[in-house]
Amino acid sequence: MKLIFAIVNNDDSRKVMDELNANGFSVTRLCSTGGFLKSGNTTLLVGVDEDRVDQVLQIIQRKSRSRKQVKSSEKSVVPGANEVVVGGATVFVTDVERFEKV
Ligand code: 2BA
């Protein structure tokens, strides 16, 4: 089994979760904060069998858009100088040693 951590934009999280649920995946949503922009994002936890990992990644990719966001703590007179490209999604796939529902 694998545990997928997917960090997505708050605005995409509903669409990603709905599509995962519609395809039979269980999802846990955590409110998180990006260390660089210090703004809210969403971390989704999805536990899946190894042979379904790619299906989860495809759904996340399809439902997550990349965006330009401004690092608001920095002032600049040059338009766009503080912009960074965020996402679609940042995904970590980890091994699960044991999974129990007790
Ligand atoms: P943040 O840390 O708020 O980063 C937002 C965006 O700022 C990043 O987008 C990247 O384009 C830029 N950025 C981040 N750190 C930077 C730095 N030291 N110098 C210059 N630009 C930097 P993404 O790469 O798409 O990441 C989106 C969010 O995913 C991040 O929000 C963070 O919450 C998470 N994330 C990304 N990579 C991670 C990693 N290796 N470990 C843990 N979380 C990660």
Side-chain angles (χ1 to χ4, degrees), residues 21 35-36 43 50 55 63 68 70 75-76 78 85:
N21 284 158
F36 188 68
T43 299
E50 195 160 354
Q55 197 185 343
K63 296 293 175 183
K68 287 184 180 163
V70 174
K75 293 192 166 53
S76 171
V78 184
V85 177

Side-chain angles (χ1 to χ4, degrees), residues 65-97:
R65 282 198 307 111
S66 74
R67 304 168 164 76
K68 287 184 180 163
Q69 278 183 239
V70 174
K71 194 168 192 301
S72 57
S73 59
E74 289 174 12
K75 293 192 166 53
S76 171
V77 287
V78 184
N82 294 335
E83 283 182 351
V84 291
V85 177
V86 183
T90 299
V91 180
F92 301 89
V93 181
T94 61
D95 290 322
V96 174
E97 195 170 310

